[in-house]
Amino acid sequence: MPELLCGDDPEPSDRFPAGPLFVPVRPGPAGCAARLFRTPLGERTAVGFTSARRLAATLGPDQAWIRLAEPALRALTAPLGVTTVTVDPQLSAPAPTPVRPLAPVAVSLRVARTA
């Protein structure tokens, strides 16, 4: 079977560094922590963007980020069992909105009397 070229293979078998990435972070107890996401199949993945503009277009302008090289991002998330790094994802689901508690409903029961 002939070996696929990178242009023919949607997921090349050779992992190569993507270079410095803009990595979304969240506040953590010791500073900031890389945000982890899920792939459409539910697998955990680290995410990096090749530009701050792409990060803001996907996650919003208020998303905090740090610069990390792709190998550093892999090393950071490997102890958590995350082995996948997704570069420049184009879609993300919005964060779930909290459900407001329902207001209590007053119920009045009337008993019918028969004569």
Side-chain angles (χ1 to χ4, degrees):
M1 177 178 226
E3 185 176 340
L4 293 174
L5 298 175
C6 287
D8 296 336
D9 188 1
E11 295 181 89
S13 56
D14 295 336
R15 290 196 327 192
F16 54 91
L21 297 171
F22 294 82
V23 177
V25 295
R26 61 177 176 73
C32 60
R35 284 185 61 190
L36 297 177
F37 295 83
R38 296 218 177 250
T39 66
L41 297 176
E43 180 183 340
R44 291 171 53 190
T45 183
V47 171
F49 294 85
T50 54
S51 71
R53 181 183 55 78
R54 288 183 179 195
L55 182 142
T58 304
L59 300 175
D62 295 330
Q63 174 62 57
W65 53 267
I66 59 171
R67 293 281 293 201
L68 280 178
E70 183 263 344
L73 181 57
R74 284 188 187 279
L76 181 70
T77 58
L80 302 172
V82 178
T83 58
T84 304
V85 173
T86 303
V87 177
D88 287 331
Q90 295 182 2
L91 300 173
S92 67
T97 56
V99 177
R100 294 186 345 197
L102 297 175
V105 177
V107 177
S108 163
L109 296 175
R110 293 187 184 188
V111 178
R113 295 185 182 201
T114 58

